[in-house]
Amino acid sequence: MSSSSSTSIFTPTSAISLAGVAAIGVVAYIGSKVLLPKNTRWQDRYTFIWLAFDALVHFTLEGSWLYLSMFGRQVNTSQGLFAELWKEYTRADFRWGLSDPDIISLELLTVFGVAPLACYVLTQIVTEDPARHYWIIVLSTAELYGGWMTFCPEWVTGSPNLDTSNPLYLWVYLVFMNTIWVIIPLWLMADSYGHIAGSLRAGKASKTKSKKK
């Protein structure tokens, strides 16, 4: 693992980056307050907030990374607000500054597949469509697979592109910012599995009772 090239742990760019992520979270929360009725079960409310946050991160932050990383461009040689925000993250994971083809492939699926699917599930939550639980499992599986394929190739090669010498890079950028895309999808899958399995078992029990009559 490489050493951090800067002795500074927290910079103005770090503050702007984290504030931007927090602002996306606030927008997601406000969306839940505006679009969901007050009696919405807490699981659905938190699912809505997460998926809104998820979609906005994919569209804005990761979408900007794709724009800066394709057709001969790369973050390290780009200018502008989003380029500076991504340069901050590349201090923790160098691959994001160099237009890594594997990450580009994953982000194409994320931005143009996962993010729209998250928006679709949001509409299902608002309309209380029970079919959302199937799509939540599909979406969560995609998130987990994307995270695994982002980091597993790095781990098996000794993590040459990850900088863990700076506490901010290690615990916030690498651990926290990526672990939430593991823990929350697992929780969503468990919750949706409970709904799907419960409905199927209830349907089976109803059919059994009907046959006995």
Side-chain angles (χ1 to χ4, degrees):
M1 296 184 186
S2 303
S3 300
S4 177
S5 59
S6 172
T7 58
S8 176
I9 293 179
F10 199 79
T11 66
T13 305
S14 305
I16 293 172
S17 301
L18 296 175
V21 174
I24 292 174
V26 170
V27 171
Y29 173 77
I30 293 173
S32 74
K33 299 293 287 185
V34 172
L35 297 174
L36 297 179
K38 292 182 179 181
N39 62 346
T40 299
R41 60 192 290 267
W42 69 266
Q43 293 93 334
D44 289 332
R45 185 171 298 279
Y46 281 121
T47 299
F48 182 98
I49 293 171
W50 166 253
L51 293 181
F53 175 82
D54 185 50
L56 288 170
V57 167
H58 292 330
F59 278 132
T60 60
L61 298 182
E62 291 169 284
S64 69
W65 184 83
L66 271 182
Y67 175 79
L68 295 170
S69 302
M70 297 183 66
F71 308 110
R73 295 185 292 262
Q74 61 176 269
V75 166
N76 284 344
T77 57
S78 298
Q79 302 295 323
L81 175 61
F82 284 107
E84 294 305 313
L85 296 181
W86 277 108
K87 286 176 185 178
E88 175 68 16
Y89 186 75
T90 64
R91 295 185 175 96
D93 188 339
F94 307 146
R95 295 172 299 168
W96 295 79
L98 300 172
S99 303
D100 184 280
D102 292 331
I103 295 181
I104 288 177
S105 300
L106 287 170
E107 289 300 334
L108 283 170
L109 290 174
T110 300
V111 174
F112 295 105
V114 173
L117 179 56
C119 292
Y120 175 63
V121 176
L122 288 173
T123 65
Q124 291 184 310
I125 294 174
V126 172
T127 59
E128 299 182 342
D129 184 352
R132 68 185 181 276
H133 292 292
Y134 169 79
W135 292 112
I136 286 173
I137 290 178
V138 172
L139 178 61
S140 298
T141 302
E143 296 282 14
L144 292 170
Y145 179 78
W148 177 259
M149 292 308 298
T150 297
F151 284 100
C152 185
E154 189 66 12
W155 295 332
V156 298
T157 56
S159 302
N161 294 298
L162 303 183
D163 183 353
T164 59
S165 65
N166 183 312
L168 177 67
Y169 302 164
L170 173 60
W171 297 110
V172 179
Y173 294 170
L174 294 176
V175 176
F176 177 74
M177 289 295 188
N178 290 286
T179 301
I180 58 174
W181 265 272
V182 175
I183 295 174
I184 296 179
L186 286 174
W187 174 76
L188 291 176
M189 292 175 77
D191 182 62
S192 289
Y193 170 80
H195 280 273
I196 294 173
S199 296
L200 292 173
R201 288 166 182 157
K204 182 179 179 181
S206 177
K207 289 182 179 179
T208 301
K209 289 181 179 179
S210 297
K211 290 180 180 179
K212 290 182 179 179
K213 291 181 179 180

